Amino acid sequence: FKKVMSGMSIGTSLFDEAGSKIVPDLVKKAAEKGVKLHLPVDFITADKFDPDAETGSASDAEGIPDSWMGLDCGQKSNELFREVVLRAKT
């Protein structure tokens, strides 16, 4: 979503080119229905997908460095998502 919506760099992270084509329609549909999309604002990164990888972090503002990949949401995103889940009435 972030790559398509704002051009965020995703480094060597997996990217579904075909699936990305529906992102603008999904965002538009959510807006029309008053649904807020909650997306990560930071990421845990690594230089490779391996137990011995060098790890780091990146924000959505800076993007994921070219030779790195995003592996998970970062601490700030987890805090924000926790707040959303706690507000849920399910």
Side-chain angles (χ1 to χ4, degrees), residues 51-66:
D52 297 322
E54 185 177 339
T55 59
S57 61
S59 71
D60 60 350
E62 65 195 10
I64 297 169
D66 288 341

Side-chain angles (χ1 to χ4, degrees), residues 59-75:
S59 71
D60 60 350
E62 65 195 10
I64 297 169
D66 288 341
S67 60
W68 288 61
M69 59 182 68
L71 298 178
D72 206 345
C73 297
Q75 183 176 357

Side-chain angles (χ1 to χ4, degrees), residues 42 44 72-83:
D42 63 338
I44 296 171
D72 206 345
C73 297
Q75 183 176 357
K76 180 67 176 171
S77 296
N78 286 333
E79 292 168 8
L80 294 171
F81 293 156
R82 180 181 185 278
E83 293 171 11

Side-chain angles (χ1 to χ4, degrees), residues 2-70:
K2 295 267 183 164
K3 177 180 172 105
V4 174
M5 292 170 37
S6 61
M8 188 188 100
S9 172
I10 62 167
T12 61
S13 303
L14 295 176
F15 181 69
D16 178 6
E17 185 73 41
S20 72
K21 292 179 182 2
I22 66 169
V23 168
D25 291 334
L26 294 174
V27 172
K28 180 181 176 191
K29 187 173 184 178
E32 290 170 353
K33 295 188 176 282
V35 175
K36 180 175 181 181
L37 297 176
H38 299 274
L39 301 171
V41 296
D42 63 338
F43 310 90
I44 296 171
T45 61
D47 64 343
K48 58 186 173 181
F49 189 72
D50 186 272
D52 297 322
E54 185 177 339
T55 59
S57 61
S59 71
D60 60 350
E62 65 195 10
I64 297 169
D66 288 341
S67 60
W68 288 61
M69 59 182 68

